[in-house]
């Protein structure tokens, strides 16, 4: 595996889930693969789960992980080509990437969408430079438009907890005080469309996900109707993807607290499991009683981040 951005990079999902089961059962069985190998984990943005689960996965595989927080541990990096670097950014990605790559075998990068320029974000301008200038396998640890390690962990969790062969999975938008990227819902939609589930997306009008990710998923604007009979409820906020109106890209169009997932919403489901990628704003995205209920999967879902990361890194090591 040369890069990990999209569901297509993992290949057959049944095989990937079987590999995830093996990794979970015997996490140290492939420790020899990472001997004398180094993974560089580059963070332009904050993280708890991605940072720790990636380090844990690398250590399970016998690798040396190096974590670099850009702008804190390093110089601030310029990401755009052709600019006069007379501001506070001391180094350009064009030099920094090959230098970082010279110290490692695999690179993981977290670089959120800026939400200012849709083309810059949706062209994955930062991640593409890592692919182009590093010459190393690159993992998106949440980039401008995708968060594949999260979506893979979500799929592993659904596979573990499903009580029927083809569960109904509902991705619901929920309110948030700040504008958030679309990477998590984009990847979740992409992966659910590829999985053997009945997939429904619900959000207020104007929040339509990019068709490259939403695919042919059913979109239901009536949240309660969408949730009827759901087996899994996946809540997430995202800002306007700018599909119907590019001028609105990255904006907050609604803070309607009627979309906060609470007991009233869960009552119309098939005693659904609740999921969220975390971090989560309690009583904005989800009520305390729902996230604290026995049907909440947020902790096992987060734990599976180490499993998904390990499968991806294992495959990269096997193809070095
Ligand atoms: N879900 C997730 O990616 O969490 P962090 O932002 O804490 O890494």
């Amino acid at each position: 595996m040369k890069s990990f951005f999209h569901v297509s990079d993992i290949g057959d999902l049944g095989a990937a889930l079987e590999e995830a089961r093996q990794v979970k059962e015997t996490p140290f069985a492939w420790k020899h693969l990472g001997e004398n190998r180094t993974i560089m984990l580059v963070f332009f943005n904050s993280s708890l789960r991605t940072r720790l689960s990636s380090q844990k996965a690398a250590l399970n595989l016998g690798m040396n992980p190096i974590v670099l927080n850009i702008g804190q541990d390093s110089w601030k990096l310029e990401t755009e080509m052709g600019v006069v670097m007379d501001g506070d950014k001391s180094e350009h990605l064009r030099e920094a990437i090959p230098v970082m790559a010279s110290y490692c075998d695999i690179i993981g990068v977290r670089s959120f969408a800026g939400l200012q320029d849709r083309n810059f974000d949706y062209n994955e301008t930062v991640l593409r430079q890592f692919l182009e200038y590093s010459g190393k396998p690159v993992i998106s640890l949440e980039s401008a438009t995708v968060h594949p390690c999260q979506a893979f962990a979500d799929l592993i969790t659904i596979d573990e907890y499903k009580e029927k062969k083809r569960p109904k999975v509902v991705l619901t938008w929920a309110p948030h005080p700040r504008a958030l990227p679309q990477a998590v819902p984009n990847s979740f939609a992409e992966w659910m469309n590829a999985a053997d589930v009945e997939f429904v997306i619900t959000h207020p009008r104007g929040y339509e996900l990019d068709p490259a990710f939403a695919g042919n998923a059913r979109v239901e604007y009536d949240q309660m109707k969408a949730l009827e009979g759901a087996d899994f409820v996946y809540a997430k906020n995202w800002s306007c993807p700018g599909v119907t109106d590019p001028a609105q890209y990255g904006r907050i169009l609604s803070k309607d607290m009627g979309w906060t997932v609470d007991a009233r919403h869960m009552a119309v489901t098939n005693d659904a499991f609740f999921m969220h990628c975390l971090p989560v704003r309690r009583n904005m995205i989800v009520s305390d009683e729902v996230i604290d209920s026995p049907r909440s999967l947020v902790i096992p879902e987060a734990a599976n981040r180490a499993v998904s990361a390990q499968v991806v890194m294992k495959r990269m090591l096997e193809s070095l």
Side-chain angles (χ1 to χ4, degrees):
M1 186 190 286
K2 291 290 175 212
S3 61
F4 186 57
F5 298 103
H6 295 292
V7 67
S8 53
D9 294 323
I10 201 86
D12 179 74
L13 285 184
L17 287 169
E18 177 51 35
E19 200 167 330
R21 280 189 281 274
Q22 290 171 16
V23 159
K24 200 161 181 171
E25 210 173 287
T26 55
F28 308 113
W30 296 272
K31 222 172 167 60
H32 58 283
L33 284 178
E35 195 182 357
N36 300 329
R37 298 289 191 184
T38 299
I39 185 166
M40 182 86 65
L41 302 167
V42 182
F43 286 85
F44 288 83
N45 311 95
S46 303
S47 168
L48 188 152
R49 279 143 292 274
T50 305
R51 180 188 179 123
L52 296 178
S53 62
S54 299
Q55 284 182 274
K56 174 72 177 137
L59 290 167
N60 286 356
L61 289 164
M63 270 194 287
N64 298 310
I66 299 176
V67 179
L68 185 70
N69 298 302
I70 301 295
Q72 296 167 41
D73 306 336
S74 77
W75 305 107
K76 283 190 183 174
L77 298 182
E78 179 58 63
T79 57
E80 294 194 48
M81 294 303 290
V83 294
V84 176
M85 289 176 58
D86 60 354
D88 64 341
K89 293 173 178 167
S90 308
E91 184 162 12
H92 200 286
L93 274 183
R94 186 68 188 82
E95 288 77 50
I97 291 172
V99 170
M100 290 189 276
S102 72
Y103 307 138
C104 66
D105 302 283
I106 299 173
I107 303 184
V109 185
R110 164 158 287 197
S111 174
F112 288 172
L115 299 179
Q116 301 299 315
D117 179 343
R118 191 178 198 280
N119 285 334
F120 185 89
D121 291 344
Y122 271 74
N123 285 333
E124 285 285 2
T125 309
V126 174
L127 256 287
R128 280 190 190 285
Q129 293 184 65
F130 275 87
L131 270 180
E132 192 173 347
Y133 303 134
S134 74
K136 298 286 161 68
V138 176
I139 304 172
S140 167
L141 300 176
E142 186 173 344
S143 48
T145 63
V146 291
H147 196 356
C149 295
Q150 180 66 53
F152 186 16
D154 296 334
L155 179 64
I156 293 168
T157 309
I158 289 169
D159 188 58
E160 285 175 345
Y161 284 86
K162 69 183 181 187
E163 292 163 341
K164 62 171 73 145
K165 190 176 178 314
R166 193 167 186 272
K168 178 176 177 181
V169 179
V170 179
L171 167 63
T172 179
W173 178 93
H176 194 281
R178 296 177 53 212
L180 298 186
Q182 296 105 42
V184 169
N186 280 347
S187 282
F188 188 72
E190 184 186 49
W191 284 67
M192 287 303 110
N193 281 327
D196 189 16
V197 301
E198 178 192 347
F199 183 48
V200 180
I201 306 173
T202 184
H203 53 72
R205 287 184 190 277
Y207 281 102
E208 290 77 14
L209 295 173
D210 191 289
F213 300 102
N216 293 323
R218 182 182 140 211
V219 177
E220 171 56 65
Y221 294 105
D222 181 331
Q223 188 192 28
M224 294 303 277
K225 200 168 161 190
L227 292 171
E228 279 172 15
D231 299 297
F232 293 87
V233 174
Y234 194 100
K236 185 72 184 85
N237 173 268
W238 63 91
S239 61
C240 175
V243 171
T244 50
D245 181 0
Q248 302 266 51
Y249 175 65
R251 294 197 188 160
I252 296 173
L253 306 180
S254 170
K255 287 186 182 175
D256 184 352
M257 298 289 283
W259 284 73
T260 302
V261 177
D262 61 18
R264 180 177 64 93
H265 295 88
M266 297 304 280
V268 302
T269 69
N270 182 30
D271 194 18
F273 289 106
F274 175 80
M275 298 179 71
H276 187 280
C277 61
L278 304 180
V280 71
R281 300 249 182 171
R282 283 172 173 253
N283 303 309
M284 283 292 304
I285 300 284
V286 57
S287 68
D288 286 336
E289 63 183 333
V290 171
I291 195 169
D292 291 332
S293 81
R295 302 295 276 182
S296 171
L297 297 181
V298 295
I299 304 304
E301 182 183 357
N304 277 334
R305 289 293 308 278
V307 180
S308 66
Q310 190 170 335
V311 172
V312 171
M313 290 176 197
K314 173 176 170 288
R315 287 193 178 190
M316 286 186 168
L317 286 169
E318 285 167 342
S319 62
L320 281 177

